[in-house]
Amino acid sequence: RIMIDGAKVTSKVKQRVIDQCGAEAIRQYMLHKHQLSEGKFDRINWFALAAYLRTFSLQRRATQVKLHHNWIPTNSFLFQQRRVQSDKCPLCESAVETASHVRWCKSPGARRFRKERMEQLVRELRGANTSPEIIQCWQVQVGILSNPGWNKIGEVSGDSSSTPVHFVVGRAGTGADV
């Protein structure tokens, strides 16, 4: 009989034992790196996060993890090491490529990827019977983060006809500011 954290392990024993090895060191790293409180850390659904990451190819998964932890080798970093000719983003070719820029690049390809991921998130949230208010909250928050012109009532300045959903999902790949 194997017990981990006071609970009997009945399936995927090998994976659960491997996961437990080094768990405290990883926990401490995550708390420090992302400035999380113990309470916030404990409320993260790590199983759901792992399931989400498994939807990506191995290469895309590695890129996402590096991006979230600011380990991504951006052109800004590589340029400082003299490993690339320019510190500019290869997609938009106008901004210095930093981890933040990678998340919010305005190039059509980057916008298309973010739009597809938001649409996938909405489908998965709906599939899990998530409250429409929570889904809208996600969409609004992404809109606010990605558009400085977003006002407090969820409209784009100068465009009161746009809803947060239409703005974030509908216009994300159109070339309009997102």
Side-chain angles (χ1 to χ4, degrees), residues 159-171:
D159 185 6
S160 61
S161 64
S162 291
T163 64
V165 173
H166 292 113
F167 179 74
V168 174
V169 177
R171 291 176 49 182

Side-chain angles (χ1 to χ4, degrees), residues 68 99-106 111 114 118 121 136-152 154-156 164 167-168 172 176-178:
H68 289 297
S100 176
H101 177 78
V102 169
R103 291 180 187 99
W104 303 111
C105 178
K106 294 181 180 184
R111 289 173 190 254
R114 287 193 300 270
M118 176 56 79
L121 173 64
Q136 184 179 20
C137 180
W138 271 97
Q139 292 169 318
V140 168
Q141 291 304 312
V142 169
I144 290 169
L145 289 171
S146 61
N147 185 351
W150 194 285
N151 69 30
K152 290 182 181 177
E155 298 169 343
V156 179
F167 179 74
V168 174
D177 283 341
V178 174

Side-chain angles (χ1 to χ4, degrees), residues 8-165:
K8 184 177 177 182
V9 178
T10 59
S11 65
K12 301 181 182 179
V13 175
K14 180 180 177 183
Q15 188 60 49
R16 293 285 309 275
V17 170
I18 290 169
D19 291 345
Q20 193 63 26
C21 294
E24 185 55 32
I26 292 170
R27 178 185 177 88
Q28 291 305 316
Y29 170 80
M30 297 288 283
L31 289 169
H32 175 74
K33 172 76 175 179
H34 300 289
Q35 300 174 355
L36 298 171
S37 67
E38 295 278 342
K40 284 183 181 178
F41 185 91
D42 291 339
R43 285 191 299 270
I44 295 171
N45 187 338
W46 295 105
F47 292 110
L49 180 59
Y52 169 73
L53 287 172
R54 281 193 301 274
T55 66
F56 292 120
S57 68
L58 186 58
Q59 180 181 7
R60 176 77 59 158
R61 187 180 326 154
T63 300
Q64 288 298 311
V65 169
K66 289 176 183 180
L67 183 60
H68 289 297
H69 293 286
N70 288 326
W71 298 334
I72 195 98
T74 63
N75 277 351
S76 174
F77 176 75
L78 297 173
F79 183 71
Q80 289 175 351
Q81 294 183 330
R82 302 185 199 294
R83 292 170 56 190
V84 294
Q85 298 279 328
S86 170
D87 61 356
K88 299 292 184 224
C89 170
L91 295 174
C92 68
E93 299 177 345
S94 62
V96 173
E97 187 187 48
T98 62
S100 176
H101 177 78
V102 169
R103 291 180 187 99
W104 303 111
C105 178
K106 294 181 180 184
S107 77
R111 289 173 190 254
R112 192 171 30 261
F113 176 76
R114 287 193 300 270
K115 178 183 178 222
E116 290 166 2
R117 299 311 295 170
M118 176 56 79
E119 289 170 346
Q120 179 183 353
L121 173 64
V122 168
R123 282 192 306 274
E124 290 177 10
L125 290 172
R126 286 184 180 141
N129 294 320
T130 303
S131 162
E133 293 82 6
I134 292 174
I135 294 171
Q136 184 179 20
C137 180
W138 271 97
Q139 292 169 318
V140 168
Q141 291 304 312
V142 169
I144 290 169
L145 289 171
S146 61
N147 185 351
W150 194 285
N151 69 30
K152 290 182 181 177
I153 60 170
E155 298 169 343
V156 179
S157 299
D159 185 6
S160 61
S161 64
S162 291
T163 64
V165 173

